[in-house]
Amino acid sequence: MNEGKITYSDLKPYESLFTIAPSFLLGTMVKRNTNLVKKFNNVVLSNLEGLSDDEREKLDLILTSDVKELQAVMLEAYKKTNKKQFKILAKPNATDFIKMNLNELKKLV
């Protein structure tokens, strides 16, 4: 982490989490503004329990970051990896989707 800001290097170890869903499916979820955290509540809770202190610190940083800042990191990730999922999440139309899912995650933490 860099001065309380999330960076691409923080994101890189978790890249597979962003690319689990095929890009066309993620795009549909964003368009429908799907609450994925609520939909996969038990899986999310299970994963939260296993977080290390460092991972929990990064999660807290993400949860308190501005969505535009997170989307800038997603755009940087897209430019470095060419993974369409990052491009989808970096677009302005994904802002509400990200906010909703982060807010739902905050309720669980």
Side-chain angles (χ1 to χ4, degrees):
M1 276 176 291
N2 186 10
E3 299 173 15
K5 290 192 174 198
I6 194 90
T7 65
Y8 172 69
S9 61
D10 295 321
L11 178 74
K12 191 171 179 158
Y14 308 101
E15 188 175 305
S16 63
L17 296 174
F18 292 92
T19 57
I20 288 173
S23 59
F24 74 90
L25 186 57
L26 180 61
T28 300
M29 288 185 239
V30 168
K31 285 179 188 170
R32 292 183 181 170
N33 208 23
T34 305
N35 189 331
L36 293 176
V37 175
K38 194 171 192 177
K39 191 172 208 157
F40 297 103
N41 193 314
N42 291 335
V43 174
V44 173
L45 283 172
S46 172
N47 283 301
L48 285 174
E49 291 173 6
L51 292 179
S52 69
D53 289 342
D54 185 50
E55 291 168 329
R56 207 166 262 291
E57 186 179 323
K58 286 181 184 178
L59 176 59
D60 289 342
L61 180 60
I62 290 167
L63 293 176
T64 58
S65 293
D66 181 67
V67 173
K68 290 185 186 291
E69 182 183 331
L70 295 174
Q71 288 183 297
V73 174
M74 295 294 170
L75 184 58
E76 180 185 352
Y78 170 68
K79 289 176 180 177
K80 291 186 178 194
T81 67
N82 209 30
K83 305 263 180 176
K84 290 180 183 177
Q85 292 89 336
F86 290 127
K87 183 178 181 182
I88 291 167
L89 293 170
K91 290 182 178 181
N93 71 322
T95 302
D96 290 340
F97 170 80
I98 294 169
K99 283 181 183 177
M100 177 185 50
N101 281 283
L102 287 176
N103 286 333
E104 193 68 32
L105 191 54
K106 286 177 189 176
K107 293 177 190 176
L108 298 178
V109 173

